[in-house]
Amino acid sequence: MSFSLYQLKPRFQQLLRPALAALARAGVTPNQITLGAMALSVAYGGTLALDPGNAALWFGVPLFLLLRMALNAIDGMLATATGNKTPLGALLNELCDQLSDAALYLPFALAAGIAPGLVVLAVVAALLTEFAGVLVQAIGAPRGFEGPMGKSDRAFAFGVVALLIGAGVAPVWANGVLVLVLLLSALTVFNRLRRGLRPCAPATR
């Protein structure tokens, strides 16, 4: 139950290498991409909040989330390729991801028929899963990316909800997906903390 779409990241990165090369030649920095992805997320989320009845905007959410995942992958790849990995970059990466999630997903609470409380809880759960992934680093474990509801999985789930909203499907289905996000997020927190504790467990004979 710890499978995550994150495990497909290496294949996804291969598809992005031409764009990576072009950005490197243009002198774009990883932090610029990180901040740019956050700005775009805030702008799209703000547009959704201002016009939650616009079906075209909801249909565009999955495409935007795919673009955001591409940018999130490219900033790390660019940092590695150019030797620009910095503590500031690591901090920006974590912070901007969480701000982007909140900006993109909270407007779902304004869609007709969607339970606002479920959306807020799903966003809080998203923050907790990423906090759990970072928290284990404090005890000497690697950053946690376990599933089943990591960042990529969450984007897929909210993309499905956006399509349901845009298509005008009975809200019960969209709300059902949000309930699933909550349940799987709780399992994800457990998986990340459990894996993080393993290196710290005392040796037994």
Side-chain angles (χ1 to χ4, degrees):
M1 288 299 293
S2 63
F3 175 79
S4 170
L5 290 176
Y6 181 82
Q7 292 169 294
L8 302 178
K9 185 176 180 179
R11 295 183 182 181
F12 187 51
Q13 287 177 323
Q14 288 297 325
L15 299 175
L16 298 175
R17 294 207 173 275
L20 172 67
L23 290 169
R25 287 194 299 269
V28 178
T29 69
N31 289 349
Q32 287 174 339
I33 294 175
T34 302
L35 292 170
M38 183 187 71
L40 289 173
S41 298
V42 171
Y44 201 101
T47 305
L48 276 175
L50 292 172
D51 192 8
N54 190 328
L57 286 176
W58 292 111
F59 283 127
V61 167
L63 294 176
F64 182 83
L65 289 173
L66 183 62
L67 171 63
R68 183 192 161 202
M69 284 192 290
L71 293 175
N72 285 345
I74 286 175
D75 62 1
M77 293 168 65
L78 188 59
T80 300
T82 60
N84 282 334
K85 283 190 173 183
T86 64
L88 175 61
L91 292 176
L92 284 177
N93 188 58
E94 294 291 349
L95 180 62
C96 291
D97 272 354
Q98 309 325 311
L99 291 175
S100 296
D101 268 5
L104 279 171
Y105 300 150
L106 283 176
F108 280 65
L110 302 175
I114 300 300
L118 280 178
V119 175
V120 173
L121 287 174
V123 171
V124 171
L127 294 174
L128 287 176
T129 58
E130 300 312 313
F131 177 66
V134 173
L135 184 62
V136 296
Q137 292 179 302
I139 56 174
R143 207 285 193 196
F145 292 103
E146 290 78 14
M149 191 50 65
K151 180 169 60 179
S152 301
D153 311 290
R154 200 160 50 242
F156 178 81
F158 272 92
V160 170
V161 174
L163 290 176
L164 293 173
I165 293 172
V169 176
V172 65
W173 292 102
N175 287 321
V177 174
L178 292 174
V179 170
L180 185 61
V181 168
L182 281 172
L183 294 175
L184 295 182
S185 293
L187 181 57
T188 301
V189 171
F190 174 77
N191 285 337
R192 292 184 178 186
L193 294 180
R194 180 182 60 175
R195 195 275 308 162
L197 286 171
R198 282 176 184 167
C200 302
T204 57
R205 294 183 181 180

